[in-house]
Each structure stands twice: as C-alpha cells, then as structure tokens.
Amino acid sequence: MGANHPPRTRHCDLLVIGAGAGGLSTAITARKHGLDVVVIEKDTVFGGTTAFSGGVLWIPGNPHAQAAGVRDSREAARQYLKNECGAFFDEAAVEAFLDKAPEMVEFFERETTVKFVPTLYPDYHPTVPGGVDVGRSILAAPYDIRGLGADRARLRPPLETITFIGMMFNSSNADLKHFFNATRSLASFGYVVKRLARHLLELARYGRGINVTSGNALAARLAKSALDLGIPILTGTPAQQLLQDGAAVAGARVRDAQGEFEIRARRGVVLACGGFSHDVQRLQAAYPHVKRGGEHVSPVPQGNTGDGARMAEQAGGSVPLRYPQPAAWMPVSRVPLGQGRVGVFPHLLDRYKPGIIGVTRRGRRFCNESESYHDVGAAMVKACEGERETAMWLVCDHLTIRKYGLGHVKPAPMPLRSFLKSGYLAKGRTLAELARNAGLDPAGLERTVREYNAGAVRGVDEQFGRGSTSFNRYLADPAQRANPCVAPIGQGPYYALKVVMGDLGTFDGIRTDVAGRVLDGRDAPIAGLYAVGNDRASIMGGNYPGAGITLGPIMTFGYITARHIAGVETLNAPSQQAPAGELHHAA
C-alpha cells in the first residue's frame, strides 16, 4: 500500500460480498432487521448474473398465483421436488424453502421497491407427479431505471446478444409474439413500431434503454431498495481475503481504486460471488465435456470466477463436486459482433419452433429439442460422449428462418447476409451441400430429415415426442395447429447454426446448513461465514424443475440467512445436501 494511501478500516455488522440477487436480497433483509450492512462488488457494475437473467422466480404457493385462483398445494410441490432431486433431495432445505418462499415474496413486495407479476410458465416437467401446468413462476415487473438516479450508470446492462439495438424483451411469451408476427399482423406491427420508437427516444436522451425488463428489472429494483435503505454498494471493490479472529470470520481485506483496506464485520461475512462458471480449473474438474477437451462458453458475467468457493475453502469450508449435472446447462452460440468481439447467444427460444431440429456432427437428432435448455444441454453432453467436441447444429429451411429467425439471426425483414459472411450461419441449396458446408455427415443429415418429416407432415415427432407437454408448447408457435412444436423441413435453401455448451450458473457449490452457515469438512458451521446465491450448493440436486429455480431459492435463502444472522430466524439446521442415505430431519 502506497504512502499516499494510509490504512483504512471500515466497520459494519454484516459484510456481503457480491451484488446480485443473492447478495442484495440478503443485505436488504438484514438491514430491514436492524443490521448495519455493507455490500462490495468486484465488477464496476452491480446486478451480477441476475441482470443477464430472465428475472423469473419459481415460488410454489406464491401470492400472485393464489390471487389468480390457481390451484396448487404445498404437498404437490414437495412431491415434485422429491421426484426431481432424486438422491439429492434435502428434506430440511426443501421444507424451509416451501415454508419461506411465499413469505419472502410478500416481504419484498411490502417492504421494498421489488415487485413481481404472474406468468403462465408451466413446470419444465409438468407430467412428473407433483408438476403443474401453471402458477409456480413469477416475473420481476418492468422498471424505469431513472428511479436509480445517477446510479443507473452502475446497473449491469442486459446481455448484448439478446437485445435488439439495446432494447430488452420481456421474458413472457406475450411480448415476443408481437415481434415474431410483426410482418403478418397489423396489431403486432403497431406494437413493434411503438416499442421501437420509444426505445430510440430513450437511446437519444439517455444513451441506453431506461424501461428495463426481466432480470435487469429485478437487479435494478433490488439495488434501488438497497440504496434507499442506505446500504452502500461499493462497486469496483473485490475481496482479497477473509479476516479471521481465531476460528471466526470477522470481515475481509478488500481493494478499491485507492488501494487495500479492511472491512470488519461484527456479525460476519456473506459470500454471494456468483458461483464458478469462469473458474477454468474447477470447470475442468466438474464439467464432463470440459474434462474431455471440449469447449464451454458461458454467457454469465466474466467476474464469476469462483472467488466465493476459494475464500470458503481457505476458511476451512467444503466445496465438493457431487451433482451429476454440476451446472444449469445452456446451449449457446458464439456470435461475431465485429471489431474482433465475440458475443454469447443463449438459445432460449428457437429450439421450440416448428421446423427447427438439432443434430450432432453425425447428422442425427438426439433429443426432444423443445425440452428445457438444461435438459437439451444434458442430452448434448451424453450424445457426444467419446468425442472431443460437445456440439449440436440447429437446422431449418429458408421459410422457417425467415419466419422465426435462428439464434442471433432475426426474422424477416432483417437480412441474413452478414451472418453467412461471418460464418455464424452455414447454407446449402440441398441438405447434402449444407452438411458439407457445416461439417456434418451428409448421409446422416438426409436420413434424419427424411425420418423426421415422415411424422412431421402430420404434426407428430415419431422419434422424441416433441410437443407432448405444456412446457414444450409454451414457447412454440400456436398457429401451427397440428403441433406447435413440429413442422416438416421443406424446400431449400437450408441453414445450419453451430451450438456449443454454456451454463446459466453453477449447481455445485459451497456446502451450508439450511440457514446458510458454511460447513467445514466435519459438517460443523464456520463461525461468521455464510453463503448465498450460486455460491451455495443448489437445493435442486443438479436438476432444473422449472423457470426460476435458481432465483427463487436464491432470494428465499438470502431472506432466511439474513433473518438468521439478525437473530429472528431460528433453524436447527442440518447440513445441506447430505449424501443419499444420510439425510437428516429438521428439529
């Protein structure tokens, strides 16, 4: 530390490391219960992965569903989670989640700027016992970021590749349908024109869109709530190491533009650093496709490098790699953005549309493309076992790509030329020519399309049953009446787009008890050290049961952990995610 920067020490009750939904929900709840809280964030912007996300929370029994008369039960949600989590079902953690999740929503909507709206999302596996077709997912309400004042400059912008000239789309199907129908419906055309005009005016006046949606709205609302409570959010301030008084964690040494200093925290430290999606060493140990030399391209913020896991381990915490699926898989494509920049596009929508199929390098389909991104990602990993590369190619005909787009390629009237020139898209007059241009097996692709089309002309996927569930159909095309997910691949020219593996965040993580206390190798809590968000091991056991199963538990356990630290939540909490056969019951 230089002579011009004398040692500084800051004191608080609670230090939170990370300014995503996990960290901010914990900080806000703790402050509401009387604690003096400081939040630090290594990036120069706040919002974390939340700001890139869909902003959806999975909350069984949420007040919005109840107000709409949706019929569901706690018992059904518990049964669903037990089926979904399998050997990693943690009874104590699940019971706490089901108890406190609706209460958390009511608390934030009553006490803060955070607001939600209902969605029509089905569970991702609605035919599994306990699954439902609607009611468990809620969405952050849109927000005008002028409410942040000058701090709007510190809000992480949305993921560039999923905006249109910086304009955000709502996570709900209702918003996007107008953009897909703009050339076929006068009402949709008018809707799109109004949205574009408003957005262009915002760009001219403010330099970015101010009416934000999805995860950007949730991040903005959480930050606004924290700042209104006087909680400092110190961006550009990474933690260097934890401070310990004996065995207890008592703060952290941090660094900002003026140098290093200490933040001493009387009640302890909460790790909320976003997981380890960009920790190369841990990925090589955890991700099967990376172990065998394959590519992994995550769209989550580059700062998610496993800082929380490393600090927990240095303090004696345990970060085992246990789950068969250690992350929330997301098939992605690499998008040339010009001037040497490459973006990452998450394939959230195109796979559901009729007339689009996914094949391996051998030209063969391997799954129901209209299942969740996580399920398709897991199927990709399995289908490419024994191969160095884990990849699939999305294939469609000309009419389909012009109607729906493909990946970062927008529907008509937006041109295709730049995507073909950059190599993002491959094209062929025939399927065989497309296969050669894309590096696929021509005979395999021709056979696959022939087999697929035999049923698709009747709206049937004879190979994988695509369109058989409410979730399959939710993001498809209802105008395709026989089956909104299935249509034949017609006349050429044909197009293919290469998709590789990415993730939306890690499922494996720091072992904690239900209250969020970090556990050591003997399952004893480390005094003063807590973990929330994607730093904490997911209660979903490596599965992805529905829209919002990351943010729902993240905010719920942030709420629980803060109340525990404040002394208002008493949980006699066994270790989270104990191995099968060693599960405990809450006292």
Side-chain angles (χ1 to χ4, degrees), residues 23-76:
L24 292 178
S25 61
T26 306
I28 291 164
T29 307
R31 183 72 191 97
K32 280 287 186 177
H33 286 87
L35 300 188
D36 177 21
V37 186
V38 173
V39 176
I40 62 171
E41 167 60 52
K42 72 187 289 188
D43 284 341
T44 57
V45 289
F46 50 70
T49 306
T50 303
F52 282 172
S53 75
V56 179
L57 280 67
W58 193 76
I59 307 288
N62 70 77
H64 292 281
Q66 292 179 359
V70 173
R71 298 186 65 181
D72 192 7
S73 71
R74 189 181 188 283
E75 292 71 27

Side-chain angles (χ1 to χ4, degrees), residues 429-569:
R429 291 167 298 174
T430 65
L431 288 169
E433 182 179 74
L434 174 69
R436 287 190 293 270
N437 291 341
L440 308 178
D441 176 60
L445 182 60
E446 288 178 327
R447 179 183 170 191
T448 292
V449 172
R450 199 162 51 242
E451 292 172 347
Y452 168 77
N453 279 351
V457 294
R458 296 176 283 111
V460 176
D461 177 9
E462 295 177 340
Q463 289 76 41
F464 296 100
R466 190 167 162 188
S468 58
T469 71
S470 56
F471 174 69
N472 279 187
R473 298 186 292 271
Y474 180 66
L475 294 171
D477 184 357
Q480 191 76 17
R481 296 188 182 278
N483 186 331
C485 302
V486 176
I489 294 175
Q491 299 299 310
Y494 303 98
Y495 301 86
L497 189 162
K498 184 178 180 181
V499 175
V500 298
M501 280 301 298
D503 69 65
L504 295 178
T506 44
F507 281 154
D508 271 322
I510 302 166
R511 289 189 66 242
T512 69
D513 64 15
V514 176
R517 295 180 295 184
V518 173
L519 301 175
D520 65 18
R522 297 171 297 172
D523 287 350
I526 297 170
L529 187 59
Y530 304 82
V532 299
N534 280 344
D535 272 355
R536 171 179 173 157
S538 167
I539 68 165
M540 299 298 166
N543 207 348
Y544 212 118
I549 60 89
T550 50
L551 284 174
I554 278 172
M555 287 192 63
T556 300
F557 283 106
Y559 173 77
I560 289 172
T561 295
R563 285 168 56 83
H564 178 83
I565 296 168
V568 295
E569 191 76 70

Side-chain angles (χ1 to χ4, degrees), residues 9-291:
T9 301
R10 187 165 187 158
H11 296 272
C12 61
D13 291 324
L14 185 66
L15 171 62
V16 177
I17 304 177
L24 292 178
S25 61
T26 306
I28 291 164
T29 307
R31 183 72 191 97
K32 280 287 186 177
H33 286 87
L35 300 188
D36 177 21
V37 186
V38 173
V39 176
I40 62 171
E41 167 60 52
K42 72 187 289 188
D43 284 341
T44 57
V45 289
F46 50 70
T49 306
T50 303
F52 282 172
S53 75
V56 179
L57 280 67
W58 193 76
I59 307 288
N62 70 77
H64 292 281
Q66 292 179 359
V70 173
R71 298 186 65 181
D72 192 7
S73 71
R74 189 181 188 283
E75 292 71 27
R78 185 184 186 280
Q79 180 186 28
Y80 184 59
L81 286 175
K82 191 167 187 178
N83 290 326
E84 290 289 290
C85 298
F88 291 98
F89 179 73
D90 182 336
E91 184 172 5
V94 167
E95 295 292 348
F97 171 64
L98 294 176
D99 282 344
K100 294 296 180 180
E103 179 183 309
M104 177 275 295
V105 172
E106 292 174 346
F107 169 82
F108 275 92
E109 292 200 310
R110 182 182 67 248
E111 300 287 340
T112 78
T113 308
V114 176
K115 298 292 182 286
F116 299 102
V117 295
T119 78
L120 298 176
Y121 269 110
D123 284 343
Y124 284 176
H125 307 131
T127 59
V128 168
V132 299
D133 289 325
V134 70
R136 291 176 178 164
S137 296
I138 56 175
L139 172 67
Y143 184 68
D144 184 334
I145 62 172
R146 287 177 294 184
L148 284 167
D151 284 309
R152 68 173 177 263
R154 295 199 295 152
L155 172 66
R156 184 183 298 280
L159 189 64
E160 180 179 357
T161 54
I162 60 173
T163 68
F164 180 64
I165 55 173
M167 182 174 66
M168 298 189 66
F169 301 100
N170 205 310
S171 293
S172 70
N173 207 15
D175 187 44
L176 287 165
K177 72 178 183 179
H178 289 296
F179 286 83
F180 283 119
N181 290 328
T183 59
R184 300 187 297 277
S185 162
L186 189 60
S188 290
F189 177 78
Y191 178 93
V192 170
V193 167
K194 289 179 181 177
R195 281 287 309 272
L196 285 172
R198 186 168 67 244
H199 179 68
L200 291 172
L201 183 62
E202 291 172 6
L203 288 180
R205 184 172 296 176
Y206 302 105
R208 64 162 291 177
I210 59 165
N211 289 291
V212 299
T213 64
S214 305
N216 219 241
L218 180 58
R221 287 179 175 278
L222 285 166
K224 169 66 173 173
S225 302
L227 294 168
D228 282 352
L229 288 168
I231 301 171
I233 304 175
L234 308 180
T235 49
T237 308
Q240 303 298 289
Q241 68 179 77
L242 296 176
L243 301 174
Q244 291 181 268
D245 289 341
V249 173
R253 182 171 293 110
V254 308
R255 187 184 72 245
D256 64 9
Q258 282 71 51
E260 289 194 357
F261 65 102
E262 291 185 353
I263 300 179
R264 290 277 172 176
R266 291 176 286 272
R267 298 288 185 96
V269 173
V270 176
L271 301 173
C273 305
F276 57 84
S277 293
H278 292 293
D279 180 347
V280 175
Q281 184 175 357
R282 212 175 292 264
L283 295 194
Q284 289 173 341
Y287 291 4
H289 55 287
V290 177
K291 288 180 189 178

